[in-house]
Amino acid sequence: MPHDLRVLILGGTTEARRLADALAAEAPHAHVTTSLAGRVTNPSAPATGDLRVGGFGGPDALAAWLVAHRIDVLVDATHPFAASISAHAAQAAAASGTDHFALRRPGWPADPRDRRHPARSLADAAARLPAFGGGTRVFLTTGRQGLAAFAGPELDGLHFLVRTVEPPEPPLPRSTRILLDRGPYTVEGETALLLEHRVDVLVTKDSGGSATVAKLTAARELRLPVVMVERPPAPEGVPEVADVRAALDRLGLSPAAADTCP
């Protein structure tokens, strides 16, 4: 890699922040820009490097930005469910001839004790809920976007506890209680929450990572079913790495900083 390496990180995740900070430690002469979509008030922003907030305006505009800013490597470190952004990144990298890879944390592995019900999408997850019976209390942790999938009249007899970072917008399920909170969470706290609200089933995305995995452990210990929305397909042909150590290696840099980032 060139001495004056120029990197654009599509961020918003813990991994993106850690990669930016690791690059500052391992490649101080590199020029690193982290781009955030700007959908949350207090995003996970890096302490180092340049920061831009807001979309690019589609793959063509992103490709033009990559060329104009002489980016050597585009790192897609967005959320595993940010399928549209990832697709645009792949298209822009191909169009501009920019080296490109994804930093994608692994999904949560299943445990033999889990009562996991896989769902292909939010709509599929919603369609599975009536089978749990009328009056079911659902803990919904799929984020504030896409809640309309659970707002249909066929789910009017269910009660939803919806946890999001930012206030969601309608349409929402008919019987909804909003809980605004941000991880990381503890098993003790999640267990207490599930018991307090008499939750019958957890609905979540297979986001992976340590910040929110405690809810799965709590549900497992309480023997609660979990409807798990599977990840959307990643763009074809885009190399993936699972952690910051591997990302630094992919960039031809020492991985030591990955262990020291906050």
Side-chain angles (χ1 to χ4, degrees):
M1 289 294 175
H3 182 66
D4 57 344
L5 180 68
R6 302 179 70 86
V7 181
L8 173 63
I9 301 173
L10 302 182
T13 60
T14 299
E15 292 78 18
R17 175 176 58 81
R18 289 177 174 169
L19 177 59
D21 292 342
L23 283 170
E26 288 299 310
H29 298 291
H31 186 278
V32 180
T33 300
T34 298
S35 178
L36 304 178
R39 293 175 178 171
V40 296
T41 304
N42 296 304
S44 177
T48 56
D50 292 343
L51 180 68
R52 71 174 303 280
V53 179
F56 288 91
D60 292 340
L62 175 54
W65 195 98
L66 294 171
V67 172
H69 290 80
R70 297 179 289 113
I71 298 299
D72 297 301
V73 185
L74 170 62
V75 183
D76 175 12
T78 57
H79 192 276
F81 282 81
S84 178
I85 299 176
S86 293
H88 288 179
Q91 295 168 28
S96 62
T98 304
D99 188 17
H100 170 222
F101 68 93
L103 170 54
R104 193 86 68 230
R105 60 184 179 239
W108 289 310
D111 186 284
R113 297 168 293 170
D114 289 342
R115 297 177 61 194
R116 187 177 292 195
H117 301 257
R120 297 182 303 276
S121 63
L122 291 175
D124 187 30
R128 294 173 181 272
L129 294 179
F132 292 101
T136 293
R137 297 180 180 274
V138 182
F139 185 27
L140 187 57
T141 66
T142 55
R144 66 188 177 99
Q145 298 184 17
L147 293 178
F150 301 90
E154 65 276 8
L155 301 182
D156 282 353
L158 280 60
H159 307 284
F160 289 84
L161 175 65
V162 178
R163 184 168 69 191
T164 61
V165 174
E166 303 277 345
E169 297 180 356
L172 302 174
R174 181 173 182 178
S175 176
T176 297
R177 180 173 180 177
I178 304 297
L179 176 62
L180 300 181
D181 201 3
R182 184 196 297 265
Y185 304 102
T186 65
V187 175
E188 294 77 10
E190 297 290 68
T191 300
L193 182 69
L194 295 173
L195 291 173
E196 176 187 352
H197 293 277
R198 295 179 292 153
V199 169
D200 299 305
V201 57
L202 166 65
V203 180
T204 191
K205 293 177 176 178
D206 187 15
S207 300
S210 60
T212 58
V213 70
K215 62 191 172 189
L216 297 182
T217 304
R220 181 183 306 132
E221 293 178 352
L222 294 173
R223 299 295 300 153
L224 295 180
V226 177
V227 178
M228 182 77 73
V229 180
E230 299 172 336
R231 295 182 174 190
E236 291 186 8
V238 176
E240 285 195 10
V241 297
D243 53 34
V244 173
R245 178 184 293 273
L248 291 174
D249 185 61
R250 175 67 167 72
L251 291 166
L253 300 170
S254 167
D259 296 329
T260 59
C261 294

